[in-house]
Amino acid sequence: MAHAVVVPPRSILPAIPLMAEPLLSRVWKAPVNAGPGRGIIGVSAMTRRFFLGTAAALGPSPAAPAPGGMPFRQIHLDFHTSELIGDVGAAFNAEEFAATLRDARVNSINVFAKCHHGWAYYDTKIAARHPALKFDLLGEMVRALRREGITVNYYYSLVWDVLQAARHPEWRAIAADGKPVGRPLDDTWPWLCMNTPYLDQVVAENREILDNYDVHGGWFDILKQPPGGCFCKWCLAERKKLGLSDSAADTYKHNKLVAMRVERRLFDLVRAKLPHGAVFFNSRIVIGVRDEMPLFSHIELESLPTGGWGYSHFQQRVRYLRTLGKEVVGMTGRFHKSWGDFGGLKNQAALDYECLNFLANGVKVCVGDQLHPRGRLDAATYSRIGVTYRKVEALEPWCRGAEAAADIGVMSVAATNPDMTTQKVPLADQGFTNMLLELHQQFNVLDLDSEFTPYKVVILPDEIRPSAALASKVESYLAGGGALLVSHESLLEPATRRFAIEALGVRYLGPAKFKGCYLLTIREHFPRLDDTPYFLYQPGTSVAAESGAEILATYGFPYFDRSKEQFCSHKQTPLGRRTGEPVITRKGKVVYIANPIFRSYAQDGYGVYKQVVGELLRKLLPAPLVLAPTLPSTAQVTVLRQGPRHVVHVLYYPLTRRAPDIDIIEEPGLLENVELRVRMDRAPARAALVPQNRALPFRHENGYAVCRIPRVLGHQAVSFE
Ligand SMILES: [Zn+2]
């Protein structure tokens, strides 16, 4: 399902004409998601060079919808239906359809105009209606949904279209080996190239839909390209004309250019008809999508935890997307596994967790479903969704316009090593995401354009490649009083093998002297850790401490490294000698760790690494946004700000791995007497359990509101106002 992609660092992207400054300012300064100290995050995006092929593509962008205005309870209703099925829509009843959704408390839905098979589900003179469909399904859906007051966007499949691939083989995307990309069953769907006359066909079909149907917006799926570039005749000719080679860097540029040209044409088409209409392009939601944001009305984060994405994916990605100045919708699925999983129904507790976790991270909720070909929604599915959506609805008064707060900004390693695979989370990102969640820290994920100043601590994990711009940004952040945690080879210049900033307090000597080293913590700096050598499962770096840098932990070396010639026992060679060579140093508010500790946490799961980072954060961030000393690491806590109100969410849904690639949540966990300390300069007037709206006793001491939640069964929110 996922394709590995090698793409160049952003610094080599070409200079493209700037979008008109006042226009970008209008888009980016819209106070959407402008949380405390975060309104400025979008500003640097104003200077982003825009990546469109022709100046003509740079038309005006109408203003975005009112902030916070999107519906909270959405459904994405898949309907990819083979022409071999002969009774499409035969059991569809418009009133029943809308009533099922209404009764499940759904207030927005994406329904199908055109599917991956290429069939249309509406009356059309341009596209091809599904041969078995006897009526205007889209039209009946839209009218019934409108009557129930449910927002309706139409779904349209872009790159995957079986029908057009058969009719126009010349429009197919071509890989470097000259073969068309994608075959049904072994590689999902045939891919079309959006740089062919197919785009004109797409635009004509969408114009017809927008002219004839009273929808609220368009939802465009599968806007992606072969990672190694497309070798169709149109792409070859255009790259030649633009002077772009077939190198990874140039194909990345060309892919981006083609994708943003599609976005521009469809965005303008929808907005010409619907000035505030929803426009979303799926398959583009990666670290580095920031420059495409002016062509999106909002962001949707497709992340089905049991369908190949895993539970870490949403946690990493949402913490980036929510900083981009757009409303965000989290999308899971009702499936046991992934899309198209007929007869696979997710556990109620898992659905509850996934949706409540969206709210706990300041984003809206969407559940993916697939309609049976005959057109009847499944009653059990909507009963289950209804249970969850009633919980969501009850919490909405404390979620509307709420912004997640964060002390810590962590740069994604994809910021300097971009990857267009939407499902993929780099190992280092997975490591810091899980570690910080388990430590109950509040954090956002950054790219190179993110502002550092809103954060008390910035982390550059393991492999952040330096540039002059990044070094200068880090230096001015430190000069302004920020704290920094750097690990392994982050900020290490590949050519000179020197660190890009002097404030780090260490000099690079080379790779660690042994592959299998031990971490020797100095007790006064890590009083909560047992005093014993801890193995470093991944090899790190060798550094010397510069003057002014304090050594917090040192290396222990093995007798020898394990090899064919010399080995001892089953695994790593035991500790041979203790050394004074630093593994962890601190100089003022800058900490350096000479090991890929975040990637290693994802690979090795050794809790000691989390304890080490936890202790270091205690030094750099003595007063975090929230302290929950009795909360287990498997529980989550998030802090949101809703105007003057603080809303804290505690989630406890333990998951266990019960299949090789699937983590299962079967029931909510129970916690009692949970102590919460929430940083607040002034004592709030009232604390209450929400949505119960029941007053909760609290006290205010040392800048924290302190309370105890009597009972958490899966989820409990607390409001301080
Ligand atoms: Zn092409």
Side-chain angles (χ1 to χ4, degrees):
M1 183 177 321
H3 295 259
V5 189
V6 179
V7 280
R10 296 155 58 101
S11 54
I12 58 168
L13 295 182
I16 302 286
L18 261 177
M19 196 173 186
E21 191 83 339
L23 172 61
L24 257 183
S25 307
R26 200 168 75 234
V27 173
W28 281 100
K29 282 179 180 169
V32 185
N33 277 1
R38 276 210 276 120
I40 52 171
I41 281 175
V43 172
S44 62
M46 286 192 286
T47 60
R48 285 283 303 152
R49 282 178 183 267
F50 228 65
F51 207 166
L52 291 171
T54 63
L58 298 168
S61 305
M70 290 190 67
F72 270 92
R73 289 161 271 128
Q74 308 189 15
I75 294 290
H76 184 90
L77 189 62
D78 255 14
F79 198 53
H80 306 289
T81 310
S82 165
E83 61 282 359
L84 300 175
I85 290 179
D87 54 359
V88 175
F92 179 77
N93 176 299
E95 276 63 43
E96 181 193 68
F97 175 77
T100 301
L101 296 166
R102 178 200 63 206
D103 293 347
R105 312 306 297 156
V106 173
N107 58 9
S108 179
I109 187 167
N110 306 323
V111 294
F112 267 44
K114 191 190 84 170
C115 73
H116 293 339
H117 292 273
W119 299 117
Y121 299 91
Y122 57 94
D123 283 345
T124 174
K125 296 185 173 69
I126 301 168
R129 198 164 86 180
H130 193 289
L133 181 66
K134 306 278 194 297
F135 62 98
D136 180 5
L137 179 61
L138 178 66
E140 289 210 18
M141 283 178 168
V142 170
R143 281 187 290 277
L145 292 163
R146 282 283 192 174
R147 277 197 296 276
E148 289 291 351
I150 296 173
T151 297
V152 52
N153 299 313
Y154 73 92
Y155 170 98
Y156 187 96
S157 177
L158 291 170
V159 164
W160 290 349
D161 185 320
V162 177
L163 184 68
Q164 293 294 3
R167 288 182 175 178
H168 292 280
E170 74 280 12
W171 292 352
R172 292 191 65 172
I174 305 295
D177 62 6
K179 291 186 179 147
V181 182
R183 284 167 297 278
L185 297 189
D186 64 303
D187 189 17
T188 59
W189 307 91
W191 295 33
L192 293 168
C193 175
M194 300 305 300
N195 199 27
T196 65
Y198 175 55
L199 178 57
D200 295 324
Q201 172 77 17
V202 163
V203 169
E205 290 180 8
N206 279 277
R207 184 176 289 118
E208 186 189 40
I209 297 165
L210 287 158
D211 281 346
N212 294 342
Y213 295 93
D214 189 16
V215 291
H216 291 92
W219 205 101
F220 302 99
D221 202 8
I222 320 292
L223 181 50
K224 60 182 182 181
Q225 298 120 330
C230 176
F231 291 80
C232 79
K233 66 178 181 183
W234 288 274
C235 286
L236 287 172
E238 186 171 61
R239 282 205 293 274
K240 190 174 177 194
K241 187 174 146 202
L242 295 173
L244 297 172
S245 71
D246 296 339
S247 70
D250 281 2
T251 50
Y252 178 81
K253 289 175 206 167
H254 188 237
N255 277 352
K256 189 99 171 170
L257 182 153
V258 171
M260 288 186 71
R261 187 188 288 142
V262 176
E263 289 171 359
R264 168 54 74 188
R265 283 189 71 181
L266 291 170
F267 182 90
D268 286 350
L269 190 71
V270 173
R271 287 300 174 91
K273 192 82 183 172
L274 305 165
H276 302 290
V279 188
F280 172 72
F281 299 96
N282 201 26
S283 317
R284 307 213 54 79
I285 304 306
V286 295
I287 306 295
V289 71
R290 183 188 289 270
D291 54 358
E292 300 176 33
M293 284 299 102
L295 301 171
F296 285 56
S297 61
H298 68 286
I299 302 170
E300 302 202 19
L301 174 50
E302 178 189 6
S303 187
L304 284 63
T306 55
W309 282 258
Y311 275 97
S312 299
H313 177 269
F314 171 79
Q315 304 282 16
Q316 179 252 18
R317 206 68 111 238
V318 72
R319 285 170 167 78
Y320 170 65
L321 298 173
R322 69 192 186 190
T323 70
L324 297 182
K326 295 277 175 183
E327 267 198 273
V328 180
V329 179
M331 182 195 289
T332 181
R334 63 82 173 154
F335 311 104
H336 169 60
K337 291 186 173 179
S338 192
W339 299 104
D341 184 16
F342 291 102
L345 188 52
K346 176 165 288 178
N347 288 332
Q348 184 75 60
L351 192 63
D352 285 354
Y353 165 71
E354 290 158 24
C355 294
L356 295 172
N357 190 34
F358 293 159
L359 296 182
N361 278 283
V363 307
K364 307 237 157 121
V365 181
C366 182
V367 175
D369 179 25
Q370 176 145 6
L371 183 63
H372 188 277
R374 283 191 282 274
R376 274 193 92 178
L377 294 170
D378 177 61
T381 296
Y382 283 84
S383 162
R384 209 161 279 195
I385 290 169
V387 168
T388 301
Y389 274 9
R390 280 176 173 78
K391 294 180 184 181
V392 171
E393 187 175 22
L395 281 160
E396 281 170 27
W398 292 273
C399 298
R400 195 164 285 113
E403 298 285 335
D407 283 318
I408 302 173
V410 195
M411 186 163 288
S412 168
V413 302
T416 57
N417 188 19
D419 189 321
M420 294 305 289
T421 313
T422 52
Q423 281 178 295
K424 192 166 150 193
V425 175
L427 278 174
D429 283 40
Q430 198 177 314
F432 74 66
T433 298
N434 291 346
M435 203 184 262
L436 294 176
L437 269 172
E438 293 161 16
L439 289 168
H440 307 135
Q441 293 286 359
Q442 308 301 301
F443 63 104
N444 281 333
V445 175
L446 313 179
D447 67 16
L448 288 172
D449 289 322
S450 302
E451 294 292 339
F452 288 177
T453 45
Y455 305 103
K456 294 188 184 315
V457 178
V458 165
I459 298 177
L460 301 179
D462 298 357
E463 47 191 279
I464 302 297
R465 294 183 202 162
S467 65
L470 178 58
S472 127
K473 188 187 232 177
V474 170
E475 276 162 354
S476 61
Y477 170 70
L478 291 174
L484 182 69
L485 193 161
V486 176
S487 61
H488 194 46
E489 297 192 344
S490 281
L491 296 181
L492 184 66
E493 306 269 14
T496 62
R497 306 308 277 169
R498 292 165 67 97
F499 286 112
I501 61 163
E502 281 192 14
L504 215 51
V506 290
R507 186 161 39 89
Y508 182 77
L509 301 174
K513 296 187 174 71
F514 292 87
K515 288 193 192 77
C517 290
Y518 291 80
L519 172 72
L520 308 174
T521 55
I522 295 171
R523 191 156 183 81
E524 62 173 298
H525 300 297
F526 298 94
R528 290 168 193 83
L529 265 73
D530 284 330
D531 191 10
T532 185
Y534 295 108
F535 191 60
L536 293 165
Y537 287 94
Q538 305 299 328
T541 55
S542 177
V543 296
E546 303 272 39
S547 74
E550 189 180 8
I551 296 173
L552 311 187
T554 62
Y555 271 115
F557 290 155
Y559 290 96
F560 46 79
D561 259 333
R562 186 177 175 85
S563 68
K564 271 191 299 193
E565 293 74 28
Q566 45 184 19
F567 57 88
C568 172
S569 191
H570 302 290
K571 293 285 181 188
Q572 60 264 21
T573 313
L575 176 66
R577 65 190 170 95
R578 305 174 76 92
T579 79
E581 188 181 320
V583 178
I584 304 174
T585 62
R586 177 188 181 178
K587 187 178 178 187
K589 293 175 91 171
V590 182
V591 164
Y592 174 75
I593 305 172
N595 189 265
I597 197 164
F598 298 103
R599 170 162 56 79
S600 183
Y601 191 59
Q603 289 175 294
D604 307 302
Y606 196 19
V608 168
Y609 305 158
K610 176 175 65 188
Q611 282 180 281
V612 163
V613 170
E615 289 294 330
L616 295 171
L617 286 174
R618 268 178 220 272
K619 299 176 197 300
L620 299 177
L621 182 64
L625 271 162
V626 65
L627 289 161
T630 60
L631 204 62
S633 62
T634 42
Q636 291 170 224
V637 58
T638 57
V639 180
L640 284 82
R641 295 209 177 104
Q642 188 192 33
R645 192 187 258 172
H646 287 65
V647 181
V648 179
H649 292 261
V650 177
L651 280 156
Y652 187 46
Y653 287 88
L655 51 89
T656 49
R657 179 142 295 199
R658 294 183 186 171
D661 301 314
I662 307 178
D663 293 320
I664 293 295
I665 293 173
E666 188 161 322
E667 55 271 309
L670 175 65
L671 297 167
E672 289 180 321
N673 207 17
V674 175
E675 181 182 332
L676 267 192
R677 295 171 167 262
V678 185
R679 194 175 78 213
M680 265 174 253
D681 295 340
R682 270 187 254 158
R686 179 174 188 259
L689 297 171
V690 293
Q692 302 93 325
N693 209 5
R694 199 163 70 231
L696 188 66
F698 72 97
R699 62 182 195 276
H700 189 260
E701 59 180 33
N702 304 323
Y704 281 83
V706 183
C707 66
R708 282 182 181 271
I709 308 176
R711 186 170 184 267
V712 178
L713 183 62
H715 172 267
Q716 179 64 56
V718 182
S719 161
F720 299 88
E721 48 199 81

